[in-house]
Coordinates of all heavy atoms in Angstrom, one line a residue:
R30 N -35.0 -20.0 5.8 CA -34.7 -19.5 4.4 C -33.2 -19.4 4.3 O -32.5 -18.9 5.2 CB -35.3 -18.2 4.2 CG -35.2 -17.7 2.7 CD -36.0 -16.5 2.4 NE -35.5 -15.3 3.2 CZ -35.9 -14.1 3.0 NH1 -36.8 -13.8 2.1 NH2 -35.5 -13.1 3.7
P31 N -32.6 -19.9 3.2 CA -31.1 -19.8 3.0 C -30.7 -18.4 3.0 O -31.3 -17.5 2.5 CB -30.9 -20.5 1.6 CG -32.1 -21.3 1.4 CD -33.3 -20.6 2.1
V32 N -29.5 -18.2 3.6 CA -28.9 -16.8 3.7 C -28.7 -16.2 2.4 O -29.0 -15.0 2.1 CB -27.6 -16.9 4.5 CG1 -26.9 -15.5 4.5 CG2 -27.8 -17.3 6.0
S33 N -28.3 -17.1 1.4 CA -28.0 -16.5 0.1 C -29.2 -16.0 -0.6 O -29.1 -15.2 -1.5 CB -27.3 -17.6 -0.8 OG -28.2 -18.8 -0.9
A34 N -30.4 -16.5 -0.2 CA -31.6 -16.0 -0.8 C -32.1 -14.7 -0.2 O -33.1 -14.1 -0.7 CB -32.7 -17.1 -0.7
Q35 N -31.6 -14.3 0.9 CA -32.1 -13.1 1.6 C -31.8 -11.8 0.8 O -32.7 -11.0 0.7 CB -31.6 -13.1 3.0 CG -32.1 -14.1 3.9 CD -31.7 -14.0 5.3 OE1 -31.1 -13.0 5.7 NE2 -31.9 -15.0 6.2
E36 N -30.7 -11.7 0.3 CA -30.4 -10.5 -0.5 C -29.2 -10.7 -1.4 O -28.3 -11.5 -1.1 CB -30.0 -9.3 0.4 CG -28.8 -9.5 1.3 CD -28.5 -8.2 2.1 OE1 -29.5 -7.5 2.5 OE2 -27.3 -8.0 2.4
A37 N -29.3 -10.2 -2.6 CA -28.2 -10.3 -3.6 C -27.1 -9.3 -3.2 O -27.4 -8.2 -2.7 CB -28.7 -10.0 -5.0
F38 N -25.9 -9.7 -3.5 CA -24.7 -8.8 -3.2 C -24.4 -8.0 -4.5 O -24.2 -8.6 -5.5 CB -23.5 -9.6 -2.7 CG -22.3 -8.7 -2.5 CD1 -22.1 -8.0 -1.3 CD2 -21.3 -8.6 -3.5 CE1 -21.0 -7.2 -1.1 CE2 -20.2 -7.8 -3.3 CZ -20.1 -7.1 -2.1
P39 N -24.1 -6.7 -4.4 CA -24.3 -5.9 -3.2 C -25.7 -5.2 -3.2 O -26.3 -4.9 -4.2 CB -23.3 -4.8 -3.3 CG -23.2 -4.6 -4.8 CD -23.4 -6.0 -5.4
S40 N -26.3 -5.1 -2.0 CA -27.6 -4.5 -1.9 C -27.5 -3.0 -1.3 O -28.6 -2.4 -1.2 CB -28.5 -5.3 -1.0 OG -27.9 -5.4 0.3
H41 N -26.3 -2.6 -0.9 CA -26.2 -1.2 -0.4 C -24.7 -0.8 -0.6 O -23.9 -1.6 -1.2 CB -26.6 -1.1 1.1 CG -25.9 -2.0 2.0 ND1 -26.4 -3.3 2.3 CD2 -24.8 -1.9 2.8 CE1 -25.5 -3.9 3.2 NE2 -24.6 -3.1 3.5
R95 N -16.9 -7.1 9.6 CA -17.7 -8.3 9.2 C -17.3 -8.7 7.8 O -17.2 -7.8 6.9 CB -19.2 -7.9 9.2 CG -20.1 -9.0 8.9 CD -21.6 -8.6 8.9 NE -21.9 -8.2 10.3 CZ -23.1 -7.7 10.6 NH1 -24.0 -7.6 9.7 NH2 -23.4 -7.4 11.9
D97 N -18.4 -9.5 4.9 CA -19.6 -9.6 4.1 C -19.4 -8.9 2.7 O -20.4 -8.7 2.0 CB -20.8 -9.0 4.8 CG -20.6 -7.6 5.3 OD1 -19.5 -7.0 4.9 OD2 -21.4 -7.1 6.1
Y99 N -18.8 -5.7 2.3 CA -19.1 -4.3 2.3 C -18.0 -3.4 2.9 O -18.2 -2.2 2.9 CB -20.4 -4.1 3.1 CG -21.6 -4.6 2.3 CD1 -22.2 -5.9 2.7 CD2 -22.2 -3.9 1.2 CE1 -23.3 -6.4 2.0 CE2 -23.2 -4.4 0.5 CZ -23.8 -5.7 0.9 OH -24.8 -6.2 0.2
I279 N -19.0 -13.7 -3.1 CA -18.9 -12.2 -3.0 C -17.5 -11.8 -3.5 O -17.4 -10.8 -4.2 CB -19.1 -11.8 -1.5 CG1 -20.6 -12.0 -1.1 CG2 -18.6 -10.4 -1.3 CD1 -20.9 -11.7 0.3

Side-chain angles (χ1 to χ4, degrees):
R30 188 172 63 170
V32 173
S33 59
Q35 289 185 10
E36 62 176 35
F38 175 85
S40 63
H41 57 270
R95 181 179 297 176
D97 55 8
Y99 290 102
I279 291 176

